[in-house]
Amino acid sequence: MRISMDWLGEYVAHEMTATDLAEKLTRSGIAVENVICRDRGLDHVVVGLVQRIEKHPAADKLWVCQIETGNGETTIVTGAQNVRQGHKVPVALPGACLPNGLTITPVDFRGIPSAGMLCSAQELGLDEKTIAPADRDGILILSDAAVIGKPVAAALGLDVPVLELELTPNRSDCLAVLNVAREVAAITEAPLQLPKQYAGADDQCCNGGDGCTGNKDDLCCTQDRVRITINDGDLCGRYAARLFTNLRLGPSPVWMQQRLQSAGMRPINNMVDITNYVMLELGHPLHAFDYHTIAQGEIIVRRAQDGEVLTTLDGQERTLNAGNLVIADPEKAIALAGVMGGLATEVTDNTKVVLLEAAHFNPASIRRTARQVGLRSEASQRFEKGVNVDTILFALDRTAQLVEELGVADVVPGYVDVYERPSKAASVAFSVERINGLLGTNVDGATMAHYWQRLGMTVTWSDPEGNAQGVVEVPTYRPDITGEHDLAEEVARLYGYDNIPTTLPQGATTVGQRTWPQLVQERLGEVMVASGLREVITFSFINPRHLDRLGLPENHRLRQVVAVTNPLSEEQGIMRSIILPNLLEVAARNSSRRTTDIGIFELGSVFAHPASPEPLKELPEERKKLAALLMGQPAAGWRQKPGPYDFYDLKAVIEKLLACLKINGVTWQATGALPYLHPGRAALLTVEQDGATMELGWIGEVHPDVTEAYDLPGRPVAMELDVQLLTMLARAFGEYKALPRFPSTDRDMAMLLPETVPASQVEAVIAATGGTLVDRWRLFDLYQGAQIPAGYRSLAYTLRYQASDRTLTDDEVNQAHEAIKAALTAQVGARFR
Amino acid sequence: MSTRMQDKSEGHRMREQLEAIRQQAAGELQGLDNLEQVQEWRVRYLGKKGELTAVLRGMGGLSAAERPIIGAIANEVRANLEELLEAKTQGIKQREKERRLQSESIDVTLPGAVTMLGSKHPLTQVIDEIKAIFLGMGYQIAEGPEIESDYYNFEALNLPKDHPARDMQDSFYITPEILLRTHTSPVQIRTMERLKPTLPVKIICPGRVFRRDDDATHSPMFHQVEGLVVDKGITFGDLRGTLLAFVQQMFGADREIRLRPSFFPFTEPSAEVDISCVICSGSGCRVCKGSGWLEILGSGMVHPRVLEYGGYDSRELTGFAFGMGVERIAMLKYGIDDMRLLYDNDMRFLAQF
């Protein structure tokens, strides 16, 4: 909402500058987004009169004008083709710096010096949508009333600052200049001056009496000529109309045009301008029909029939349905209620009699219809937000006042008003103590009452002496006030939010602590960071095509996705069922920017659609996952020449993670079953608990097809672990065991093994055979190549022997060591040298 | 007499001899500069076949009276030479150590061996900091689902269907009744339902939220942190004080806050909260558009209807709630000028935090 300071000043004499008022309004709840100074850049731009104009002797398209600028005549060359002798035009004199940044200096046009420039609307910085299409091109021709030599800003009314309000949904009452004036009056305590309403001496119905001729063409009074029926009272609570006759269509006065422009609207003609003016002034949209196009002068407010057709003002033929409310006559729909008028009943040059509509429509219905037809006008926006049903007659009478005052038409006496269930002003009970208790203030009852009265409310005390409690009657233009807490806000904002004491909550001390899952999650992040990975945050929704790029077959579990019905683009089409595609995208993006060392992780949710059919009844399952990806290789240093990241780099991260969370007993099971992973370089992590096998997650090299689909240059390795399971398995601290009191002995063994035997089998044999004597083991070498037969590899382990009750003898250790070797030979085909 | 003369002269001679050895040995030792030479010197003078021993071997010819005297002198000479030897040895060792250390010096300006250090995302860092501040004030951390029901996201927050305020948040829908949460406020209701009738309720809730907006200043997914306190006697002043304490910890002790009346369907009275500009401290700059203030969060007293939806008696209890955009705070705190960087996940960007 834009309001010019002079318009506002008409109703309230506040005597503040625009900037001060803006600050004050903002601090009391009506946010002023901007104070617009429309005359910025219009210094040295004055009104000039074109005395003479002739073609440039040396250029076809240029004109040489002699312009009177109040300071004598000056010669200006222009390329515009719409300037004529006698026109008043905006003249930018040397020294001017126009809103578009253009600085004016004398210029020579093919031998003729030009001491300035004639300006177009656009060059003056005018908002194009407030300008008649005919005035958008060429030099802006000013009205004859403009005073030669005076600043053009004054001539165009641009010297008045405009407040741009950013209204919250509860204060749509301030889509009216008058209601903003009420706010200003309340916060400055300046008196409020209401605008004049029509009060013709004979503004009543003749009721077929003396004045009534009975002749249909004789407009003795509105009641006699207009019938209104509301069929669908749920969508239209009130409908009122007035007639104006002998319409004299023409332009509206300059002051009115300028006010409309200041509010961002385009002047059209005097009748339309008045209805728009009243809409901006009182907040109530009005619509003017050509009375003679309405069959039998009868207005019917009803739901549209399915398939009913109406050609609207913009010339479009629209097919309606029962969800749309229309204004109709007995024969046809004539307007889309509250949204747009019909073309057939439009006020035109031929219109003699105008029927002016003021009505109240159901906001939700208007909202739906406006969306359906894709049109949100100043009018429909007000209806959507809810207009004040009790302003309707005020709006009709105010329009009548302006119609008469400006001589636009003759006001036909009387009006018709169908209003079956009149609204009642809300009454809100309050207690001074409770309000102070809510605010933490100590404002006395009399002060509170004073604030409310300034806002137009009526206060009745139920205890006249104590000023402790009572009832406030709320004016109908403040439908947002329904309870005591709303009254409290009115007190708070007039008292001043900044004057409210600053305190901290009293009461019992509370413990601020993380839950176990929160602690585990935090630790997960820390381990990842300590492992050199960077956290990324990506969107929870993804493009469904990612599922194809991952190579997921139809019916794959991860294709049970939750879809977004109204995404902004396909990029946000489904909720992710796996984090990997996001990480692959991040890797691709970084790699395209020549980052070669990529180590990333994300802690986020994945979503699964339940097996039950659409549509979802319950919220779908969300599970938190820890996902990570390594690709490329660390930059070589002068000491280290690391190779590219592989499976074991990422496995080390998981091992570190498990160690940190004290999780034991995780099985690494080779798998070829995950379509997005290399079938020979992937593992499932499982844990046995209470006889059940639980899947903790997966790790593996990304499948070459997937790598190609994402256009990745390297061989990324990735993982995804279930955070909920990790949380369940994690322990805060390990179990204490006394340190060994006797020395331990280390023995190495190197063996040749068929390469099909996994290390886990070797270790299982060591553990089983070594029993309690083997305290721990470590693989310290793995070799394949020269001197090793094909299909074999060499593994070398260090075993630590330890007993808790004695020092082991060499014999004991040797015996145990040989037993393990024998078992390895027998069970996994190990050969020792 | 002659014997005595002879005796005397024998003793005298030995004494002179000893003194000569001492002087010669000491003089020689002075000129030595490595341990091998010192070892030779030791053998020569102090060894079993050394000069000193040779002199002492001749003590048999001395009178009983002279023997202890000469013996004492000899011991004194030995002790003296051993002392010199020790000092010499130490000196040489010290010099050798110094030489070795000097030869072992390295270029300390070469870079260290590479170990990788990762980093948390700047948004996570900000959320961690916010959590820490409120944990310190006795708050718990609550969480809720990203996919939410219309009931929790709107209805129970006093936003019935067709309420114009729903326009403030254009939503992504899964079904007409299920959507991506548009704010973290549904966690207010979920937490109250979970905790009722326990008092006080003191929680913050960080999380992802979603709105159908995508331009230079809006991301379709972003982060909020919600706060909720419900108890007997909670006031608007308490809200102010709590937010001031938060802001001063987050942005510095000299930050001020300013509350402006505003509107949220789930609070009344409601306030937008500005902080004095982190760049110019209030004098006006480009970041605060000259106003000296930056809007960072929305807040208010919990609407009685919301308390009722949560299962708490609005006649007995009051509460306050607030919500802040994490992206905005991160951008202000780190001076990031383009929000899209936060979701671009460029390693070069992430490495800066």
Side-chain angles (χ1 to χ4, degrees):
Chain A
M1 178 77 180
R2 292 180 171 201
I3 297 179
S4 74
M5 286 294 283
D6 66 327
W7 198 349
L8 191 61
E10 196 160 295
Y11 316 114
V12 56
H14 55 79
E15 293 178 345
M16 294 175 80
T17 65
T19 320
D20 290 349
L21 184 61
E23 173 70 7
K24 199 133 193 177
L25 276 169
T26 301
R27 303 307 300 282
S28 65
I30 306 296
V32 179
E33 182 77 359
N34 230 330
V35 176
I36 306 170
C37 296
R38 294 169 300 160
D39 56 357
R40 193 166 291 151
L42 297 184
D43 287 349
H44 306 293
V45 185
V46 300
V47 178
L49 175 69
V50 182
Q51 302 278 34
R52 286 184 308 284
I53 178 164
E54 52 200 28
K55 270 207 166 344
H56 191 293
D60 262 3
K61 294 199 168 148
L62 295 182
W63 298 85
V64 181
C65 312
Q66 301 306 319
I67 309 276
E68 173 59 53
T69 59
N71 224 345
E73 250 181 45
T74 158
T75 303
I76 290 175
V77 178
T78 180
Q81 305 301 318
N82 68 328
V83 181
R84 304 283 177 270
Q85 184 175 337
H87 274 160
K88 285 182 178 169
V89 290
V91 183
L93 298 170
C97 179
L98 295 178
N100 62 10
L102 187 67
T103 305
I104 305 300
T105 47
V107 179
D108 186 284
F109 281 95
R110 300 199 183 184
I112 298 188
S114 177
M117 187 181 100
L118 306 187
C119 302
S120 68
Q122 192 233 334
E123 283 158 342
L124 294 175
L126 296 177
D127 181 356
E128 194 178 65
K129 76 175 198 293
T130 67
I131 306 287
D135 294 339
R136 287 178 198 161
D137 296 323
I139 300 305
L140 182 70
I141 309 302
L142 303 172
S143 100
D144 289 342
V147 180
I148 298 165
K150 290 282 183 235
V152 82
L156 291 171
L158 302 176
D159 53 346
V160 184
V162 170
L163 304 182
E164 185 176 17
L165 309 183
E166 192 194 354
L167 295 173
T168 51
N170 62 325
R171 292 308 304 271
S172 51
D173 61 295
C174 287
L175 288 169
V177 181
L178 179 62
N179 287 346
V180 177
R182 292 184 206 270
E183 274 294 312
V184 175
I187 58 179
T188 61
E189 300 201 57
L192 183 77
Q193 178 73 48
L194 292 178
K196 263 197 208 148
Q197 300 178 56
Y198 180 76
D202 52 353
D203 191 24
Q204 50 194 307
C205 182
C206 52
N207 283 328
D210 290 346
C212 186
T213 61
N215 180 348
K216 195 77 188 147
D217 294 329
D218 241 5
L219 295 163
C220 50
C221 77
T222 304
Q223 289 92 323
D224 197 46
R225 294 290 173 256
V226 175
R227 246 198 28 219
I228 297 171
T229 313
I230 301 176
N231 284 353
D232 291 298
D234 56 331
L235 299 187
C236 175
R238 187 177 191 179
Y239 197 103
R242 253 192 184 281
L243 291 182
F244 305 118
T245 185
N246 299 324
L247 178 66
R248 298 174 283 274
L249 221 50
S252 59
V254 170
W255 64 264
M256 182 175 275
Q257 293 193 21
Q258 289 181 352
R259 282 191 181 171
L260 291 174
Q261 285 174 317
S262 72
M265 294 190 84
R266 176 158 59 89
I268 295 177
N269 61 46
N270 47 13
M271 191 64 229
V272 173
D273 288 359
I274 287 174
T275 59
N276 281 336
Y277 187 84
V278 173
M279 174 178 71
L280 293 171
E281 186 180 48
L282 305 184
H284 202 103
L286 302 160
H287 185 68
F289 295 98
D290 181 336
Y291 171 72
H292 287 301
T293 63
I294 302 173
Q296 300 155 43
E298 185 170 356
I299 295 277
I300 301 164
V301 188
R302 59 167 171 84
R303 284 184 161 81
Q305 287 139 20
D306 278 328
E308 189 170 0
V309 171
L310 169 69
T311 305
T312 43
L313 275 175
D314 54 4
Q316 283 207 48
E317 192 179 280
R318 302 188 185 264
T319 306
L320 310 177
N321 62 46
N324 307 128
L325 187 70
V326 295
I327 312 301
D329 64 18
E331 294 164 6
K332 62 198 181 292
I334 58 171
L336 207 45
V339 178
M340 199 187 260
L343 189 62
T345 51
E346 187 185 13
V347 172
T348 66
D349 290 346
N350 300 323
T351 302
K352 288 276 177 307
V353 180
V354 168
L355 183 143
L356 183 76
E357 162 202 288
H360 184 276
F361 302 117
N362 177 295
S365 154
I366 297 292
R367 199 167 122 108
R368 280 192 297 268
T369 301
R371 285 196 173 192
Q372 181 190 326
V373 303
L375 189 121
R376 301 189 81 187
S377 60
E378 291 274 348
S380 73
Q381 278 183 50
R382 284 177 170 78
F383 279 124
E384 276 179 38
K385 288 172 178 153
V387 296
N388 180 9
V389 67
D390 290 317
T391 308
I392 283 178
L393 295 186
F394 189 3
L396 283 185
D397 292 348
R398 175 64 178 153
T399 311
Q401 168 70 22
L402 289 168
V403 163
E404 188 182 67
E405 203 174 291
L406 305 182
V408 175
D410 299 332
V411 178
V412 176
Y415 58 84
V416 182
D417 179 20
V418 180
Y419 189 20
E420 288 191 345
R421 276 158 304 178
S423 70
K424 267 199 258 165
S427 291
V428 179
F430 67 89
S431 136
V432 170
E433 190 192 340
R434 282 176 54 95
I435 289 177
N436 277 322
L438 181 69
L439 298 179
T441 50
N442 198 11
V443 179
D444 63 49
T447 307
M448 286 190 192
H450 182 57
Y451 291 149
W452 294 326
Q453 282 154 354
R454 272 157 63 184
L455 289 161
M457 304 178 194
T458 316
V459 181
T460 312
W461 293 100
S462 46
D463 62 329
E465 327 73 60
N467 279 6
Q469 55 212 17
V471 173
V472 165
E473 195 172 301
V474 182
T476 52
Y477 54 82
R478 288 298 305 277
D480 59 304
I481 294 182
T482 59
E484 189 182 58
H485 47 282
D486 298 309
L487 291 177
E489 179 168 76
E490 300 304 292
V491 169
R493 65 193 191 91
L494 289 192
Y495 181 68
Y497 273 25
D498 286 341
N499 296 325
I500 290 170
T502 302
T503 53
L504 283 172
Q506 307 293 306
T509 303
T510 51
V511 180
Q513 63 182 7
R514 297 167 179 83
T515 60
W516 176 242
Q518 288 162 0
L519 279 170
V520 169
Q521 259 189 57
E522 221 153 276
R523 204 159 296 170
L524 289 178
E526 282 157 13
V527 175
M528 298 312 274
V529 169
S531 306
L533 282 78
R534 300 206 182 276
E535 187 188 16
V536 299
I537 294 181
T538 63
F539 290 166
S540 303
F541 28 49
I542 57 171
N543 191 323
R545 284 189 207 170
H546 281 299
L547 304 180
D548 303 329
R549 274 181 223 157
L550 290 186
L552 299 179
E554 259 178 68
N555 301 325
H556 191 277
R557 186 174 54 85
L558 294 177
R559 282 194 183 270
Q560 304 286 317
V561 292
V562 178
V564 177
T565 53
N566 60 336
L568 284 168
S569 77
E570 213 189 3
E571 291 299 316
Q572 294 130 19
I574 55 168
M575 301 305 287
R576 63 183 176 192
S577 52
I578 176 170
I579 300 180
L580 177 63
N582 298 70
L583 299 188
L584 289 169
E585 267 191 332
V586 172
R589 195 153 54 230
N590 276 289
S591 137
S592 74
R593 294 172 190 162
R594 319 193 74 187
T595 298
T596 49
D597 175 5
I598 296 168
I600 50 178
F601 76 98
E602 177 163 6
L603 255 169
S605 292
V606 299
F607 307 83
H609 196 288
S612 66
E614 306 267 0
L616 275 181
K617 291 274 174 281
E618 306 286 316
L619 297 185
E621 190 191 26
E622 281 185 44
R623 282 189 86 89
K624 237 199 202 127
K625 300 281 181 182
L626 171 66
L629 180 143
L630 292 177
M631 190 180 84
Q633 65 184 76
W638 62 278
R639 271 165 64 102
Q640 295 123 308
K641 313 281 175 216
Y645 288 121
D646 65 14
F647 182 93
Y648 300 105
D649 288 307
L650 194 55
K651 181 171 179 177
V653 173
I654 298 182
E655 284 169 339
K656 199 185 285 183
L657 197 80
L658 296 175
C660 179
L661 297 177
K662 318 285 179 209
I663 298 177
N664 299 317
V666 173
T667 307
W668 301 73
Q669 178 76 50
T671 179
L674 302 178
Y676 40 90
L677 296 183
H678 190 305
R681 298 185 169 192
L684 280 179
L685 276 74
T686 57
V687 180
E688 298 280 336
Q689 188 140 3
D690 306 326
T693 304
M694 291 178 298
E695 213 172 281
L696 193 57
W698 52 261
I699 172 178
E701 188 173 307
V702 176
H703 196 288
D705 292 349
V706 178
T707 309
E708 196 186 316
Y710 284 87
D711 203 14
L712 292 169
R715 305 184 70 159
V717 281
M719 65 159 209
E720 194 166 294
L721 302 182
D722 190 272
V723 173
Q724 215 162 305
L725 258 178
L726 286 174
T727 305
M728 200 186 85
L729 299 168
R731 281 175 301 146
F733 44 84
E735 227 170 275
Y736 164 74
K737 272 187 280 182
L739 296 179
R741 280 164 45 225
F742 301 93
S744 60
T745 308
D746 286 356
R747 284 277 153 73
D748 294 349
M749 59 169 68
M751 68 196 98
L752 272 182
L753 272 170
E755 61 188 5
T756 49
V757 176
S760 61
Q761 272 187 33
V762 173
E763 289 167 20
V765 173
I766 293 175
T769 316
T772 54
L773 286 190
V774 177
D775 182 50
R776 65 186 63 173
W777 58 86
R778 182 166 50 84
L779 178 72
F780 69 88
D781 193 34
L782 184 147
Y783 182 73
Q784 226 168 345
Q787 293 159 6
I788 304 286
Y792 280 77
R793 56 181 182 170
S794 157
L795 300 182
Y797 282 90
T798 290
L799 280 64
R800 171 160 296 179
Y801 293 90
Q802 171 89 60
S804 57
D805 54 353
R806 64 188 191 284
T807 302
L808 291 171
T809 63
D810 268 3
D811 276 355
E812 273 181 297
V813 172
N814 290 341
Q815 222 172 339
H817 203 63
E818 289 311 314
I820 290 171
K821 283 181 169 179
L824 287 168
T825 306
Q827 295 176 31
V828 297
R831 281 157 51 190
F832 293 89
R833 280 184 277 187
Chain B
M1 178 73 188
S2 72
T3 307
R4 286 179 69 181
M5 279 293 290
Q6 192 185 3
D7 279 354
K8 193 180 180 182
S9 70
E10 182 60 16
H12 186 72
R13 199 182 51 80
M14 280 186 76
R15 202 180 292 188
E16 280 176 345
Q17 221 174 339
L18 283 171
E19 186 53 34
I21 289 172
R22 169 162 49 193
Q23 284 185 12
Q24 190 187 346
E28 233 172 73
L29 187 61
Q30 227 164 31
L32 303 183
D33 66 354
N34 68 59
L35 288 176
E36 290 85 57
Q37 289 172 338
V38 170
Q39 179 64 12
E40 278 168 27
W41 176 89
R42 195 187 65 79
V43 172
R44 185 159 0 112
Y45 291 103
L46 300 173
K48 283 182 184 148
K49 292 173 184 164
E51 289 189 25
L52 199 57
T53 315
V55 172
L56 289 176
R57 228 175 260 137
M59 283 214 330
L62 292 180
S63 68
E66 265 179 330
R67 203 172 297 147
I69 296 168
I70 296 300
I73 291 170
N75 280 337
E76 190 198 311
V77 168
R78 173 178 288 276
N80 185 227
L81 288 181
E82 277 174 348
E83 208 173 283
L84 289 174
L85 169 69
E86 176 62 21
K88 186 71 190 178
T89 309
Q90 285 308 316
I92 289 174
K93 279 189 177 164
Q94 183 64 29
R95 269 199 307 282
E96 280 188 353
K97 189 158 73 183
E98 276 165 11
R99 259 203 302 277
R100 196 182 78 232
L101 291 181
Q102 207 167 11
S103 73
E104 281 174 359
S105 69
I106 57 166
D107 178 359
V108 296
T109 65
L110 283 174
V114 181
T115 60
M116 297 190 299
L117 180 62
S119 57
K120 287 196 177 182
H121 193 282
L123 290 174
T124 306
Q125 293 188 32
V126 167
I127 290 173
D128 284 351
E129 198 173 340
I130 295 172
K131 280 184 195 166
I133 292 171
F134 283 101
L135 283 167
M137 293 198 275
Y139 287 63
Q140 305 268 350
I141 300 164
E143 283 152 299
E146 291 175 25
I147 301 183
E148 193 45 285
S149 68
D150 185 271
Y151 175 80
Y152 285 110
N153 194 72
F154 288 130
E155 199 119 5
L157 290 166
N158 198 27
L159 265 152
K161 290 218 158 66
D162 284 322
H163 192 289
R166 284 200 179 192
D167 280 356
M168 293 162 88
Q169 306 175 358
D170 204 354
S171 324
F172 288 109
Y173 280 94
I174 305 295
T175 75
E177 292 301 321
I178 298 177
L179 71 160
L180 304 189
R181 67 175 172 193
T182 56
H183 45 193
T184 39
S185 308
V187 184
Q188 285 190 25
I189 304 292
R190 288 183 175 276
T191 305
M192 284 193 277
E193 282 182 350
R194 181 167 54 86
L195 295 180
K196 75 185 174 188
T198 314
L199 287 175
V201 177
K202 272 171 84 176
I203 55 131
I204 60 160
C205 165
R208 299 176 171 208
V209 299
F210 308 84
R211 292 188 198 169
R212 290 188 80 240
D213 265 325
D214 198 359
D215 56 46
T217 54
H218 295 90
S219 167
M221 184 189 98
F222 57 102
H223 292 73
Q224 281 189 338
V225 175
E226 188 86 4
L228 173 72
V229 173
V230 178
D231 202 357
K232 278 199 172 74
I234 296 293
T235 70
F236 197 62
D238 295 339
L239 169 64
R240 234 182 108 82
T242 301
L243 293 178
L244 181 64
F246 163 70
V247 162
Q248 293 187 339
Q249 288 187 72
M250 191 76 195
F251 292 104
D254 51 352
R255 281 309 118 211
E256 290 167 43
I257 61 170
R258 179 178 89 161
L259 271 60
R260 281 180 290 114
S262 186
F263 170 77
F264 306 103
F266 30 94
T267 51
E268 186 80 32
S270 305
E272 296 274 10
V273 181
D274 301 336
I275 59 168
S276 51
C277 181
V278 295
I279 309 294
C280 65
S281 289
S283 59
C285 69
R286 193 181 54 82
V287 172
C288 59
K289 294 188 189 121
S291 71
W293 296 96
L294 297 166
E295 185 182 321
I296 60 153
L297 52 81
S299 66
M301 300 305 290
V302 181
H303 196 287
R305 226 168 287 155
V306 173
L307 285 175
E308 298 292 338
Y309 271 113
Y312 284 89
D313 186 349
S314 67
R315 286 163 307 176
E316 295 292 317
L317 304 168
T318 52
F320 64 71
F322 55 85
M324 58 189 104
V326 179
E327 279 74 2
R328 171 123 175 106
I329 291 176
M331 290 172 77
L332 289 175
K333 200 169 167 74
Y334 299 131
I336 300 168
D337 52 7
D338 183 351
M339 190 173 65
R340 284 169 293 202
L341 285 170
L342 292 169
Y343 294 101
D344 187 63
N345 294 306
D346 191 310
M347 304 281 286
R348 296 167 300 177
F349 172 77
L350 298 175
Q352 296 174 24
F353 302 96

